[in-house]
Amino acid sequence: MKLATVAFYGFALGLLAVGLRELLTGFEENRCSMTYMFEYPEYRRVALPRRVARLYPAYGLYLYGEGLYAQETRALKLTGAPVLFLPGNAGSHKQARSLGSVALRKAENVEGGLHFNVFTVDFNEELVALYGGSLLRQTHFLHESIKAILRLYKHLKSPPQSVVLVGHSMGGVVARALFTLPRFNTNLVSLIITQASPHLAPVLALDPYLLDFYSAVRQKWVNQAKKLRNVTVLSVGGGYRDYQVRSGLTSLPCTPGDPNKLSLVATAVPRTWVSTDHLSIVWCKELVLATVRAFFDLIDPETRQFTVNPEKKMAVLNHHFIRHPVRMLGETEDTSISILDFPEAWSEVNTLRLAYSTPKEGQVKYFLFALSSRRKAYSHFYCRSNNLEMTSWVYSCVHKNGSSCVQAVDLSMGTELLPPYKILILSLSDLSSVTHLVVSASNLNGKQFTVECEWQRQESQTLSVPVPHVLSSGLTVSDVSVNSSGLLHTIKLQHFDQVYQAFRISVTSQCKVTNERLPNVYRIHVPWFREDSLTTASVPSVTEISGMLHTSRPDNASGVLLQLHTAPNCQYKVSVRTSLPRVLGQILRFCGPMVPVYTAVTLLQACGGQLSTILKSKRAADMSQVVAKGLQPHKVNLPVYILHILLGCSWFQEVWSFLYLPAMDALPPTHPDGGSPEGVASVEEWPLLLSPLLYILGAAVAYWGSALLRLIMRLISLIIAPLHRPSVSRDCGTLRLRTQLLVALSLTVMGGVFCGALAVFAAFLLHLYRLLRLQMTERSLSHMLNLAPRKHREADNGTVDAESLSKSKECNGAPLLSECALQEVRDDLQLHLCLSALFTLPVMLIAPSLLHWTRNLRYSTQLDPDPCWPCSVPLIIVYILLINCNTVILSNSKLLPLTACLPLPLSIAMVTFSPLHLYRVTYFLLATLVPLALCCLL
């Protein structure tokens, strides 16, 4: 039985390891180019008013500079457009160097001295993603910094009236939180660009301040959306390389249809097309260049500052971050084609496909396509060119003179940029008044490129394939063959709409003739969120694509498409199979916060099992056995399912509200809506269905974590044993009542004056010392009894039968050196091992507060605000009281029957109310530990 238990939990640990490996390493290599500084970077501190410096001694405001520019700006007489960079969780103000350096280099090539002044805020590298007490303080300091920046431009005739904010990680959340301040002038910020910022919900909610902060920001931006329509916000997620902040969380929670809010993933950004990890998104050259190019296009030529026109801002952001056509909306270009002097430049195309490569010598060349004969048979016109110069190249002819077009309308605004070429897809139904299409293949500069165009019938070039079931584990393959000779094929991936699905998509290309061809581009297009991913492949080749989603499909959205931009006259085969490691990785990516909850549930159930064993037999069971039995999904998950079903009934909702119970907790929604001001959308079904698997993973963490705790305790006890006199008493390491009161009072005062987490950690160490003393006593007694003659051991015990001894429930009055005494010590050791494992959970949950306090000791000795203070006092008292606890005291307590029944209902409550509010786990543990501590007194 024990071997089967070890094998089961070993298998569960293996599943967890496979999922973690896929989550942390199962992504594409980092294809970002590094940004380099050509001169030594300098950060010049900007003086702030004394009041601000006194209120925020740990923070600072700096101006980034290099070389000559740094020397010219020493006096802080600035003339550029202000940009302010905000670092995120544990981020440094020096991360602004990539943005600042690229902006300086680009400004050297711009006429008129147009440039940017890049400022950066030092938030003392605070852990604001885990400790929310500093978020409001950072927001107030940001407000003061913006006012200080604008004061530096008062000497100008037309000083800037606003600052552009670029926020990384939690810095982006702080930027949006500015608008929650009662005295903040919304005109001070008109554009916010955030990078890998978790707008939808915090990654881990370890204290209530974090969730309160998020709730205030969400309510402001959703409830007052009309007032904030002039504020443009762009949120960029990193993709699958960023395992710290999944890209679904970077979706902006805003009212549907808000035209000034954009959310997208870096893999979908034109001229970027790469996934970035949480840090490289700041220095990724491709993304930094897109940002800086957008900044230059956002400058108003009259004021030489950032435009405040919302339409202009959105046009620029759409151009650089979404589609990247030949020019931005609103720009005009001469669309006349005056080539009457070059009649030889015109060629009319009567075939279904055009493939043309320009010669080395420069020439003027136009191809003319007649629409009249193609409208009935074809629905679209597709054209591509690897001439990536963003100039007009496709026109509709509105006035034809002989074989040439005199007047044309530019259709190039629909151009889309792909890694190896640009493409244009025109729907013939939108060209009812057009008689001819014109494609320009002119290369006056002598640059060689290729143009390929064809008429397409979309219905015949669109195929469907149902994806395998998520439980098929790769044993089932769905495939489809593409035998057509077209340049673009679309495959609908049916039933691919949930984030827990993950597939390995293999595309095999074969060509009969090996000619020089344009490369293939395989694109996974997600209609409901800008998270497209592109893969470039040579011809012929076998290419594997990772099929996963950052967001689930809303009800009103169409399905996922696999677009194949292919080579002509080649055959393609697409195979789709489920990838079990990637499925596990996706489950951990989206449901990871549930694993520690189920770990706590397992340990709480183990504690309940231990108490029940003591109640029945007055002996403690082995810790590994009770932890192994802590996996009870039929007792925990089934009531949660029933609650979820009942909450769908109006009468039960009324009863729920009448009892003032909080809403049933849920993980952040996986669909990109996020418009609810309540902060949490309706509970999704699939995390509930996966809860048994998450329970198994959490139980595996509890089982092997407790085994690791036992091993560590044995090793430490071996190390410190020479420092202690051998003991054979079960009371080793205990405290007198007066000492307990004094220690508890001292630690309570310490928590109030300094940090509650520090006091709890100290109480935890005192209990660990008690556990170590029991471990040393158990070893000493074992050695002594092994050395003692057998007849003396039997005489001391008053028995001669070892089997009858093992069945004995009490050893009252037994000598200190006896088998009974050893059994008592072992019972106490198993009890305190269970307690220590349970005590470890609150310590881990409050660790970020302790870390934050230690890093800010030079500025303040008191943690303010302290999220641990409400629960630190009962935790300290419980930890100190349970130091003296043993199996005899518990078995004689009148409260033990009631206490042994508490873990199960509290485990159900923990699963119901703690997935999003992780800090509540401590409260539910206290609800068990407080009665347990009372058992030691009553």
Side-chain angles (χ1 to χ4, degrees), residues 145-216:
S145 298
I146 291 173
K147 293 190 290 186
I149 289 171
L150 295 178
R151 282 195 294 267
L152 299 175
Y153 296 87
K154 291 298 184 182
H155 62 283
L156 299 180
K157 292 182 179 180
S158 300
Q161 302 301 314
S162 64
V163 176
V164 169
L165 302 182
V166 179
H168 171 240
S169 186
M170 292 300 293
V173 181
V174 171
R176 293 176 63 241
L178 268 175
F179 297 85
T180 64
L181 300 181
R183 297 184 180 179
F184 178 70
N185 181 2
T186 57
N187 295 323
L188 296 181
V189 175
S190 62
L191 174 61
I192 301 173
I193 296 179
T194 67
Q195 302 168 336
S197 298
H199 295 294
L200 204 57
V203 178
L204 292 174
L206 297 182
D207 65 59
Y209 299 116
L210 197 58
L211 284 174
D212 291 345
F213 185 83
Y214 265 85
S215 178

Side-chain angles (χ1 to χ4, degrees), residues 338-576:
S338 301
I339 44 79
L340 294 179
D341 297 333
F342 304 98
E344 68 280 1
W346 286 89
S347 297
E348 188 162 357
V349 181
N350 297 317
T351 58
L352 297 180
R353 182 181 300 116
L354 166 70
Y356 176 77
S357 296
T358 59
K360 294 182 180 180
E361 301 79 16
Q363 66 172 13
V364 177
K365 191 67 178 178
Y366 291 95
F367 293 98
L368 194 66
F369 296 82
L371 271 71
S372 57
S373 60
R374 307 293 182 185
R375 292 188 186 275
K376 292 183 179 180
Y378 300 96
S379 61
H380 289 77
F381 180 76
Y382 174 92
C383 206
R384 67 189 183 193
S385 170
N386 60 354
N387 176 21
L388 298 182
E389 294 180 2
M390 301 312 288
T391 55
S392 298
W393 63 301
V394 179
Y395 307 86
S396 63
C397 187
V398 295
H399 180 58
K400 187 172 178 291
N401 182 14
S403 62
S404 62
C405 187
V406 179
Q407 187 69 30
V409 175
D410 188 7
L411 300 178
S412 306
M413 280 300 296
T415 301
E416 188 171 8
L417 200 60
L418 300 182
Y421 37 71
K422 58 187 178 184
I423 66 168
L424 178 64
I425 303 175
L426 298 174
S427 175
L428 301 190
S429 61
D430 297 334
L431 304 174
S432 57
S433 61
V434 177
T435 59
H436 290 76
L437 294 176
V438 180
V439 177
S440 172
S442 304
N443 65 332
L444 298 178
N445 56 3
K447 182 179 179 180
Q448 289 185 290
F449 57 88
T450 300
V451 176
E452 294 181 342
C453 302
E454 73 171 5
W455 301 99
Q456 291 187 344
R457 188 164 43 248
Q458 195 174 65
E459 294 80 7
S460 63
Q461 293 179 274
T462 301
L463 303 173
S464 297
V465 56
V467 297
H469 195 274
V470 71
L471 298 179
S472 64
S473 302
L475 301 178
T476 305
V477 182
S478 298
D479 51 31
V480 61
S481 297
V482 179
N483 297 316
S484 174
S485 59
L487 301 178
L488 172 65
H489 300 275
T490 301
I491 298 176
K492 296 181 179 179
L493 301 177
Q494 296 177 339
H495 316 303
F496 182 23
D497 50 17
Q498 294 295 334
V499 293
Y500 57 81
Q501 295 173 293
F503 304 100
R504 288 190 292 116
I505 304 174
S506 177
V507 183
T508 305
S509 59
Q510 294 180 346
C511 303
K512 296 180 179 179
V513 182
T514 57
N515 295 331
E516 186 175 340
R517 307 170 187 269
L518 292 178
N520 295 329
V521 176
Y522 309 138
R523 175 180 187 171
I524 295 182
H525 176 60
V526 182
W528 60 84
F529 191 58
R530 298 180 184 93
E531 56 175 283
D532 292 9
S533 60
L534 293 90
T535 303
T536 304
S538 58
V539 186
S541 64
V542 178
T543 306
E544 185 172 295
I545 307 170
S546 178
M548 297 187 294
L549 296 175
H550 294 290
T551 54
S552 295
R553 181 172 69 91
D555 294 334
N556 57 349
S558 55
V560 178
L561 303 177
L562 174 60
Q563 297 176 344
L564 307 177
H565 297 267
T566 57
N569 302 316
C570 295
Q571 291 184 341
Y572 292 82
K573 182 179 180 180
V574 179
S575 302
V576 184

Side-chain angles (χ1 to χ4, degrees), residues 44-57:
R44 184 162 305 282
R45 186 159 191 141
V46 177
L48 298 171
R50 291 182 180 179
R51 176 186 62 84
V52 177
R54 186 175 61 255
L55 284 174
Y56 312 101

